[in-house]
Amino acid sequence: MYRHSIAVIGTGYVGLTAGACLASLGHRVVCADLDPVKVEQLSRGHVRILEDGLPELVREGIDTGLLSFVEGAAAAVRDAETVFVCVGTPMTPGGELDMTAVDAVADEVRDLLPRDSVLVTKSTVPVGTAARLTARLGRPDVSVVSNPEFLREGTSVRDFLNPDRVVVGSDDREAAEQVAALYAGLDAPMMITDAASAELIKYAANCFLAIKLSYVNVIAELCERVGADVGQVATAMGKDHRIGSAFLRPGPGWGGSCLPKDTRAMLKVAAAAGVDFELLNAAIDVNLRQRDRITAKIADVCGTATDRPLDGVRLGVLGLTFKAGTDDLRDSPAVAVVEELVGLGAELVAYDPALSDRPATTIPGVTVVDDPYLVAKGAAGLVLFTEWPEFRTLDWETLAVLLDRPVVVDTRNHLDPRELRRAGIAWHGVGVPSSPAALAPVRSGIRH
Ligand code: NAD
């Protein structure tokens, strides 16, 4: 017997996780996707995305009979008391939020939603969407509820089942309580709000995280200029409980499928409301500058002393995904910098553990291989973009021999500089004095 009948529309990172987790809480869940191949694979328990624990949970749901997959939203909603919309809300090339998929779902299910059912937006949508969808549906018996999702890729199952808070917002309190009750099995603070507040909470949280990352990236830049070490500065800052240590590590710039589009969307929301959000604009500018700074650092460390320092220079790349633990390349800062490097004439060979079973991944001008040691062969340096734990345990002695020039640009400060130094490799991090004596290579014959 099940507790509640749910439809989940969209089986991406959010929809599939939500569907499998809600089934694990005892609800009957029918998940729908447009992609027939995905639906067929998921029906057999085959999960294509990399998410810790998700394949097991999907198979468990199928085995208990609580989780099933169908093609198209129409086939999923007929018996649903609650319908979660989890389709993508990407950014158009012009920087606009693309709500086409959400609107298409609303149009598709309008006449099929059971009487008195609830439509829930779990996709990240701008303020006013609940009101807009209510009007679009034209179904006075159906309430629209906002239930933004805060899970992180790579740890989506753990985040969904152990959230810091669950936010459910609607101008129909009874509908919000019905959705809140679906999470009764979780030990998490529940916040029931009005619709606009719930929609704004998601953007406010993500924009704050983006601003925090841009802040630490500027601090890293400052550290390089004044001879300070951002590791020490950020660690001490993070110990202040008012600040916290999360999102306080410098890197190649923030990216991924959420922060870039959510910050842009928030700027539009603010502008439409007549609010000057210059602070957020500055964080976006800093982020673009950070990518340029990383490109310049790579050219400086690995390039030739010519007008076109990277022209024809072979570089090895470690990591392409926007963070460790995921196979998602959407808006990855690594890909953005890699594209800049290709534009500057560099020849790139890349390895990423999440992509090792699909080395044909296409980034124009980049050869993706399935072995980290292959990227080093004959390269004028290695660039680490993603903080995969396994990069820490690479055999640096072997890499030093394979590299044409034993230098590493570590855009995440992820490696142990002393270990690289012992192997004869010069380490260049972010936000540390540019070439401190302690980090200089012990082998002779290299530039830095
Ligand atoms: P995704 O691109 O991985 O998945 C979207 C899925 O929806 C795809 O499988 C697609 O085929 C399917 N789809 C599109 N239109 C459909 C339709 N009409 N009917 C059925 N299926 C349809 O997206 P995602 O990363 O899961 O993100 C979904 C939403 O959740 C976005 O709004 C995103 O901003 C938000 N979000 C994402 C994350 C994250 O870490 N990925 C975290 C929190 C919130």
Side-chain angles (χ1 to χ4, degrees):
M1 194 45 202
Y2 58 89
R3 295 198 171 123
H4 196 89
S5 184
I6 294 172
V8 172
I9 315 301
T11 60
Y13 293 89
V14 167
L16 187 58
T17 304
C21 289
L22 288 167
S24 79
L25 294 176
H27 305 299
R28 189 188 67 174
V29 184
V30 181
C31 292
D33 206 285
L34 280 180
D35 180 347
V37 177
K38 208 180 210 181
V39 170
E40 190 275 320
Q41 290 176 332
L42 287 171
S43 301
R44 287 189 287 109
H46 177 67
V47 176
R48 278 195 307 205
I49 53 175
L50 181 70
E51 275 304 335
D52 203 21
L54 190 54
E56 294 81 353
L57 211 57
V58 167
R59 285 195 284 273
E60 185 187 302
I62 294 171
D63 290 347
T64 57
L66 288 176
L67 184 63
S68 59
F69 298 91
V70 295
E71 189 184 331
V77 302
R78 284 178 211 283
D79 299 321
E81 295 158 273
T82 307
V83 176
F84 283 86
V85 180
C86 302
V87 297
T89 48
M91 192 164 60
T92 66
E96 301 286 332
L97 189 68
D98 183 352
M99 290 286 286
T100 315
V102 173
D103 290 348
V105 171
D107 293 348
E108 198 179 340
V109 302
R110 178 188 294 123
D111 300 326
L112 303 170
L113 289 169
R115 225 192 131 60
D116 298 327
S117 55
V118 175
L119 186 81
V120 184
T121 51
K122 199 168 243 324
S123 299
T124 303
V125 293
V127 182
T129 300
R132 197 173 63 73
L133 288 181
T134 302
R136 194 173 182 112
L137 285 175
R139 285 277 306 264
D141 62 314
V142 173
S143 293
V144 178
V145 171
S146 165
N147 172 216
E149 183 50 58
F150 299 95
L151 64 76
R152 298 161 299 171
E153 285 178 21
T155 51
S156 69
V157 171
R158 201 171 70 213
D159 291 348
F160 192 97
L161 294 174
N162 306 282
D164 290 336
R165 75 303 205 191
V166 176
V167 175
V168 178
S170 180
D171 298 338
D172 173 351
R173 178 83 191 187
E174 211 177 301
E177 280 171 1
Q178 176 180 320
V179 175
L182 301 177
Y183 294 94
L186 300 184
D187 180 20
M190 171 62 64
M191 279 197 70
I192 297 186
T193 69
D194 58 87
S197 298
E199 288 166 342
L200 194 58
I201 285 166
K202 172 66 187 176
Y203 282 107
N206 269 5
C207 292
F208 185 78
L209 294 175
I211 289 169
K212 203 173 175 193
L213 285 171
S214 279
Y215 185 84
V216 77
N217 279 336
V218 178
I219 296 296
E221 185 175 355
L222 193 54
C223 283
E224 286 179 18
R225 299 281 171 90
V226 301
D229 178 341
V230 73
Q232 295 176 19
V233 174
T235 302
M237 281 174 65
K239 287 196 185 300
D240 185 328
H241 71 275
R242 296 168 303 174
I243 297 173
S245 59
F247 279 65
L248 216 51
R249 284 186 74 103
W254 38 268
S257 69
C258 290
L259 295 190
K261 78 176 174 66
D262 292 353
T263 45
R264 297 272 175 198
M266 180 67 137
L267 281 182
K268 295 260 161 58
V269 167
V275 172
D276 179 358
F277 208 155
E278 202 40 52
L279 175 64
L280 184 56
N281 234 337
I284 294 170
D285 285 348
V286 163
N287 200 44
L288 296 176
R289 190 170 88 209
Q290 184 69 359
R291 292 176 183 184
D292 291 344
R293 268 181 16 86
I294 295 291
T295 305
K297 188 185 280 278
I298 295 165
D300 183 41
V301 170
C302 306
T304 55
T306 61
D307 283 357
R308 288 184 53 83
L310 289 173
D311 209 11
V313 170
R314 191 177 185 290
L315 297 173
V317 171
L318 292 174
L320 287 169
T321 55
F322 78 98
K323 65 173 184 177
T326 182
D327 56 351
D328 197 351
L329 289 174
R330 288 179 289 183
D331 262 316
S332 169
V335 174
V337 175
V338 155
E339 284 170 351
E340 275 187 48
L341 296 172
V342 170
L344 293 169
E347 292 164 12
L348 302 183
V349 182
Y351 167 76
D352 188 296
L355 308 175
S356 57
D357 60 344
R358 42 182 157 129
T361 302
T362 32
I363 302 172
V366 183
T367 307
V368 180
V369 296
D370 60 0
D371 178 345
Y373 296 93
L374 282 180
V375 306
K377 217 164 166 234
L382 281 181
V383 185
L384 182 147
F385 283 112
T386 314
E387 73 287 19
W388 286 102
E390 68 174 81
F391 290 157
R392 286 217 175 101
T393 55
L394 288 171
D395 179 346
W396 293 103
E397 305 265 345
T398 301
L399 288 166
V401 174
L402 291 169
L403 282 164
D404 202 29
R405 269 198 284 154
V407 290
V408 168
V409 178
D410 180 357
T411 71
R412 300 269 185 177
N413 293 352
H414 179 60
L415 304 170
D416 180 352
R418 287 160 306 180
E419 200 184 321
L420 269 66
R421 180 173 176 264
R422 276 196 295 275
I425 296 176
W427 176 86
H428 295 262
V430 175
V432 291
S434 50
S435 288
L439 302 180
V442 289
R443 253 168 46 165
S444 57
I446 59 173
R447 234 161 55 95
H448 291 269

